[in-house]
Amino acid sequence: MKPITIGKLRGLQQIASSRGTFTALALDHRQNLRKANPAFVDDAELSRFKLDVTSALASYGTAVLLDPEVSAAQAVAAGVVPNHVGLVVAVESTGYGGDSTARKAQIIPGWSVEKAKRMGASAIKLLVYYHPDSPTAQETEDFTAHIAEECKTHDLAFMLEPLSYSLTDQKLSSEEKRYVVVESAKRLVPFGADVLKAEFPLDIAETNQALWREACEEISSVTDIPWILLSAAVEYETFLQQVVVACNAGASGIAVGRAVWKEAVTMNHETRNTFLRATAIERLTRLTSLCNALAKPYTDFYSADAPFDWHKTY
């Protein structure tokens, strides 16, 4: 097992179940939500939506993932993040800089790892668009290493989310996507991530579950940290199948957003809350139960040493 510092371990404890598995409710979406519902161009309306979802669903997962712009501090102030649920805060700006085939990551202006630590976040999440063969790959690696060092300085758990993209105008084939997702894990995790938030490593059109298992096992084989599967807006029933396969292949849980709550995006306030407190709760509860039963706990990866004089050198 890998050694882990007390601050990072405490963060993982806060965002995981008592068994050490993860079910993170993902709500850090910004631009795609504004596109899906024109009312969300107004920060207050977007914040209201996120707080509605957090209030209804957060207690059914192990953590909630929010953005600092319209939801993280607001959710804490409103008291909708339950005491037993961890808070993961995004640090990256929505979208990307550079060309679509040579993407660059960027931090939210005015935000930092240090500020996330000060506000009481259990962990930060960094999304980077990454292709190992991109001309900006080295720049993204350096950027990831810099954020990892910041997390080390502030002893804050680091969740890394690499997202694949194509170097041409064509969509990644299933084989290419597997290469990018696996290679991203292999190259970026060693810079200092504590949890990897990974895409499903095949195209959604691929239906061969034996291949699903093989590809997910490949992620597990190239990483020495826990990894969790993101939902990427796939339909709930599809994600359910992916979760079973991924957890049986070594995943430690999930980060799930739109697969649970996407229908609520275009509903009015009253209808939204009815949907969230029925269908969405049922979905998230089932996913949490699956992860708790099948996922590989983070305690299989990490151990901490706390000698009695630890505080003198901390």
Side-chain angles (χ1 to χ4, degrees):
M1 290 198 293
K2 295 180 64 175
I4 191 170
T5 55
I6 291 298
K8 285 176 176 283
L9 178 60
R10 184 58 181 151
L12 296 184
Q13 290 170 345
Q14 290 170 343
I15 67 174
S17 69
S18 59
R19 187 174 160 267
T21 61
F22 303 96
T23 306
L25 175 66
L27 273 166
D28 60 318
H29 314 68
R30 281 151 279 172
Q31 198 58 38
N32 54 14
L33 283 178
R34 296 187 198 273
K35 290 178 181 177
N37 186 338
F40 293 162
V41 172
D42 179 8
D43 284 348
E45 285 300 316
L46 180 56
S47 184
R48 185 184 190 191
F49 169 78
K50 293 190 177 199
L51 267 59
D52 280 350
V53 179
T54 302
S55 178
L57 301 183
S59 62
Y60 296 91
T62 65
V64 60
L65 170 54
L66 297 168
D67 69 278
E69 294 168 291
V70 301
S71 63
Q74 291 78 8
V76 172
V80 298
V81 180
N83 292 343
H84 67 281
V85 172
L87 175 62
V88 184
V89 182
V91 297
E92 80 284 343
S93 291
T94 190
Y96 54 85
D99 298 331
S100 62
T101 57
R103 304 183 186 189
K104 300 181 179 183
Q106 45 202 0
I107 292 291
I108 297 167
W111 189 238
S112 67
V113 170
E114 185 266 339
K115 288 184 178 182
K117 175 72 171 184
R118 282 201 285 120
M119 75 160 294
S122 306
I124 62 102
K125 187 270 302 185
L126 174 69
L127 182 155
V128 292
Y129 289 92
Y130 184 77
H131 191 298
D133 303 326
S134 166
T136 57
Q138 183 63 57
E139 183 177 339
T140 301
E141 291 165 12
D142 293 343
F143 180 74
T144 302
H146 170 71
I147 297 299
E149 190 61 31
E150 288 288 299
C151 289
K152 181 179 178 182
T153 296
H154 299 288
D155 207 7
L156 186 61
F158 177 20
M159 180 183 291
L160 174 65
E161 178 183 6
L163 286 188
S164 61
Y165 66 94
S166 174
L167 300 184
T168 69
D169 293 330
Q170 302 298 313
K171 177 183 175 183
L172 288 173
S173 69
S174 199
E175 182 179 354
E176 290 170 327
K177 185 171 184 180
R178 178 173 174 175
Y179 160 69
V180 175
V181 171
V182 172
E183 195 66 19
S184 296
K186 185 187 298 184
R187 295 194 189 187
L188 295 179
V189 162
F191 289 113
D194 302 303
V195 177
L196 173 67
K197 185 182 176 202
E199 295 176 87
F200 193 72
L202 295 168
D203 187 84
I204 187 63
E206 177 57 63
T207 59
N208 183 338
Q209 291 202 8
L211 194 58
W212 287 16
R213 170 90 181 226
E214 181 185 289
C216 288
E217 286 177 339
E218 191 172 8
I219 297 176
S220 297
S221 73
V222 300
T223 60
D224 60 354
I225 66 171
W227 70 275
I228 62 176
L229 180 69
L230 62 89
S231 61
V234 299
E235 295 300 319
Y236 169 70
E237 293 297 337
T238 300
F239 187 57
L240 203 63
Q241 295 177 57
Q242 291 179 347
V243 171
V244 171
V245 172
C247 288
N248 280 324
S252 293
I254 59 172
V256 60
R258 287 168 286 180
V260 164
W261 50 253
K262 68 179 175 182
E263 294 94 328
V265 173
T266 55
M267 294 174 175
N268 62 39
H269 182 67
E270 184 177 344
T271 307
R272 174 196 303 163
N273 283 320
T274 299
F275 168 81
L276 291 171
R277 296 184 184 280
T279 303
I281 283 178
E282 181 181 340
R283 290 174 178 174
L284 187 56
T285 300
R286 189 175 179 191
L287 288 165
T288 299
S289 296
L290 276 175
C291 291
N292 198 47
L294 302 175
K296 185 174 183 178
Y298 76 83
T299 49
D300 284 5
F301 295 88
Y302 295 120
S303 65
D305 183 32
F308 294 124
D309 62 349
W310 74 277
H311 58 286
K312 295 179 181 178
T313 56
Y314 183 67

